[in-house]
Amino acid sequence: MEIDFEFRKERKMGEIVQDFINLLRLVLRHFFQTILSLAVVPLCVMLALIYYGTTKINLTRSESLTETPEIIVVALLVAVALLMVSLIFFGLAIEYFILLRNSKGTAFGSVDVWRSFRSHFGKYLRFLVVAIAAFCILFVPLVIAMFILMFIPLVGSFAAGILGSFVGVWFFSAFMFYREGYMEAGNAIQQSFSILKKRIIDYSISSYVVSFVFQVLLM
């Protein structure tokens, strides 16, 4: 089914980055104050899982995997747990910005963010399954493309980062289309690509720059 969708406002690459920086300047303090109380527990759980997983692997690194099959089970359980914790952490951030958009201000708090996330938690889980299946299909061509790009002098690593941002923008946009009711979870990834493909280079580069700026601010 063809989706008739138009973005409310088209922005060039420089406008996307500048608008994001301007937005952060206005809401960064409120964002951390609102999210911190909700994210402390998921972040602590994530650190504990990473510590436990790496410690378990280091203690058994002298043995082969066939001699210690339990390490495979531990690694899988830790990976699944980390995936769920990451889902909660990023879901809270997404719900924050959705509330910011809907309220057109910062007149909301941690309780509102948590309530919104909890009410849409089922959508996060359903799309996670779809995204994992799609990523498994795309994994081999993406790895091959990344491997080729890394050998390009000077711009190779930058191009590989752009490719990673492309996948991130694609999957994130698919989720937002699904969450907002424009598409079903099963075909959101395919349909969102047809919408984004004309501007995917601009969006990918902008996402790459924005993520770099955000990481600097976090540091």
Side-chain angles (χ1 to χ4, degrees), residues 142-159:
L142 283 176
V143 169
I144 294 174
M146 288 280 191
F147 183 78
I148 295 174
L149 290 174
M150 291 299 294
F151 283 93
I152 300 177
L154 300 178
V155 298
S157 59
F158 180 73

Side-chain angles (χ1 to χ4, degrees), residues 193-205:
F193 181 80
S194 63
I195 295 175
L196 297 172
K197 61 184 180 181
K198 294 181 180 180
R199 298 288 304 278
I200 196 64
I201 300 299
D202 286 346
Y203 295 151
S204 300
I205 296 177

Side-chain angles (χ1 to χ4, degrees), residues 13 17 28 38 42 77-78 80 82 85 98 111 121 123 135 137 139 155 166 169 175 183 201 213-214 219:
M13 183 178 65
V17 176
L28 189 61
L38 297 173
L77 291 176
V78 170
V80 172
L82 283 174
V85 172
I98 291 175
V111 175
F121 185 66
K123 285 191 172 183
F135 186 77
I137 297 173
F139 179 76
V155 298
F166 159 74
V169 170
F175 170 73
M183 303 172 183
I201 300 299
V213 172
F214 193 66
M219 294 172 58

Side-chain angles (χ1 to χ4, degrees), residues 23-38:
L23 176 63
L24 281 183
R25 289 172 58 189
L26 294 173
V27 305
L28 189 61
R29 185 171 183 177
H30 181 261
F31 173 77
F32 282 114
Q33 288 176 344
T34 304
I35 295 297
L36 185 60
S37 59
L38 297 173

